[in-house]
Amino acid sequence: MKRHWKRWTLIGAITAVVLVVGGPFVYINFIQSDAPERLSVSSGATASGPATSVDGTWKAGSGSQAGYRVKEVLFGQKVEGVGRTSDVTGDLTLSGSKVATGSFTVDLSAVKSDEDRRDQQFKGRIMEVSKYPDATFKLTQPIDLGTVPAVGAKVTAKATGTLKLKDAEKAVTFDVTASRTGDGTVEVSGSIPVKFADYGIANPSIGPIQTEDNGQVEFLLKLTRS
């Protein structure tokens, strides 16, 4: 009986180890959905003919999205935490081949991921959404696109502005891609690196979930001329 008891105790211990180590592996690699692809502009129509003027104010509308992307480690397995919202407002002013002004606001209370527990942590101790409900970006230098894009053309340029998260505002410079998807429609996408400590953001790590000390703010703006 003693020998059988030891054997079953050993089997139980091995089973527990397999469940702790192998369980997350199976869930992450075979059950959990893959993280969404990065937000990016669509190609639109094939570029043809001369480029017509894009001068004027362009407002963010239906289909615009913004959110975060953070690398996580769960029981040694690497995953990406992604949260997004379509509650994005703002506009750009275009003049010739330059984006003269621009500012956008994201409602953080509407950001959702594929995990309710992650969302609770995001809206609570991490971003304190009840106290700081919005994230904002404001362009501080014109963006030079180089040329007025024709319909279907894509251009990449540098954007410089201020990003405000919680009560901290920091200067940021990052790549943006613009696509003229129609005569009256433009899309702009980009990704802004964020170091959490710079904005007073609490370390997202909790329990078995460990994150890096930085993440990215992703956005896709679908604009129409107002």
Side-chain angles (χ1 to χ4, degrees):
M1 288 292 294
K2 197 170 185 180
R3 184 180 302 166
H4 288 305
W5 178 82
K6 288 182 178 179
R7 184 176 65 183
W8 284 110
T9 300
L10 179 60
I11 291 173
I14 292 172
T15 301
V17 171
V18 170
L19 290 175
V20 169
V21 177
F25 176 84
V26 172
Y27 174 75
I28 292 168
N29 291 281
F30 297 101
I31 300 175
Q32 185 185 43
S33 300
D34 292 336
E37 295 292 330
R38 294 182 180 276
L39 294 172
S40 61
V41 299
S42 53
S43 56
T46 302
S48 61
T52 56
S53 172
V54 291
D55 290 359
T57 299
W58 298 70
K59 290 189 175 295
S62 177
S64 296
Q65 296 182 69
Y68 66 84
R69 184 178 295 268
V70 179
K71 292 182 179 180
E72 301 174 341
V73 176
L74 174 61
F75 292 109
Q77 301 299 311
K78 295 180 180 179
V79 298
E80 284 188 323
V82 177
R84 289 180 181 164
T85 178
S86 58
D87 199 335
V88 182
T89 56
D91 56 60
L92 295 174
T93 301
L94 303 180
S95 179
S97 62
K98 292 186 178 181
V99 181
T101 63
S103 61
F104 296 91
T105 299
V106 180
D107 181 0
L108 297 180
S109 68
V111 174
K112 287 187 67 64
S113 70
D114 61 348
E115 280 287 342
D116 289 340
R117 288 170 293 183
R118 182 188 290 126
D119 295 340
Q120 291 169 7
Q121 293 295 322
F122 175 83
K123 295 175 183 178
R125 69 180 183 89
I126 297 172
M127 295 304 297
E128 301 178 272
V129 169
S130 62
K131 188 176 181 180
Y132 309 107
D134 299 323
T136 60
F137 171 79
K138 184 176 182 180
L139 203 63
T140 55
Q141 295 180 21
I143 302 174
D144 189 354
L145 301 176
T147 183
V148 176
V151 173
K154 286 184 184 181
V155 293
T156 299
K158 291 284 185 184
T160 297
T162 54
L163 176 66
K164 186 175 182 181
L165 299 173
K166 300 182 79 169
D167 61 350
E169 193 172 59
K170 300 293 180 181
V172 292
T173 298
F174 55 96
D175 290 332
V176 292
T177 300
S179 174
R180 193 170 183 183
T181 52
D183 191 51
T185 55
V186 171
E187 295 183 5
V188 180
S189 66
S191 180
I192 308 174
V194 171
K195 188 172 182 179
F196 301 137
D198 289 345
Y199 295 88
I201 297 173
N203 188 325
S205 299
I206 183 170
I209 302 174
Q210 299 297 306
T211 69
E212 296 185 347
D213 63 357
N214 63 89
Q216 296 176 331
V217 172
E218 296 181 340
F219 64 88
L220 169 62
L221 306 174
K222 296 197 174 185
L223 305 150
T224 55
R225 194 175 349 219
S226 62

